[in-house]
Amino acid sequence: MTEKDNNLVSTPDLCDAYPEQVRVLDSVFNDYGGVTSFFGQVVTIKCFEDNSVVKQLVSTPGEGRVIVMDGGGSLRRAILGDMLAAQAADNGWAGLVINGCIRDCLEIAETAVGVKALNTHPMKTEKRGLGDLDVPVTFAGQTIMPGDWLYADQNGVLVCDQALSFD
């Protein structure tokens, strides 16, 4: 993959260059993070109203990867808050794409990490130790596999089963 500043990711350009390889997620996400354009290899989490696995994962080295969380589309609890977003940024995660809600949106907007989610909700999740790491997740019209590559900017989110060149 050609190195390029994350702020210069262009999903329209990638769609033009790789129309047969990219899978575009439905336009259901809002931007919340301090970084609006990001990319990286995917680590998936399937969790419903419980962010125990998220909390464990953001404490590990991100190495420029992207966390994709399937929260079942729940609008009743926030899977991500300001402390976990800050921890993700501090540990080198490029971004998070969440099929669910976040909270502490003003603080997350000041955090150097990409965050896309469905909406906000003030209630935190319960910690029951539930959730699956590195499993296929399906939402926003696409199935996302662990190890896929995700590219996101203000135009949208797309995934591909291989790294794409920006040339």
Side-chain angles (χ1 to χ4, degrees), residues 30-127:
N30 296 302
D31 282 307
Y32 293 105
V35 175
T36 58
S37 179
F38 58 94
F39 70 94
Q41 197 162 24
V42 169
V43 176
T44 61
I45 299 174
K46 188 168 189 163
C47 54
F48 183 75
E49 298 183 358
D50 183 340
N51 67 356
S52 300
V53 176
V54 178
K55 186 175 181 178
Q56 294 169 359
L57 187 59
V58 298
S59 69
T60 66
E63 301 170 339
R65 294 174 295 168
V66 175
I67 298 171
V68 175
M69 287 185 260
D70 183 2
S74 175
L75 301 176
R76 302 183 311 182
R77 300 281 178 153
I79 298 175
L80 183 77
D82 61 337
M83 293 187 301
L84 293 183
Q87 196 169 18
D90 291 345
N91 286 318
W93 292 92
L96 303 98
V97 175
I98 303 166
N99 182 31
C101 290
I102 67 155
R103 66 188 207 159
D104 306 314
C105 62
L106 296 178
E107 293 85 351
I108 289 175
E110 299 296 320
T111 304
V113 68
V115 177
K116 288 187 174 280
L118 299 179
N119 216 322
T120 61
H121 195 285
M123 184 66 72
K124 67 180 179 179
T125 66
E126 294 181 28
K127 307 293 186 284

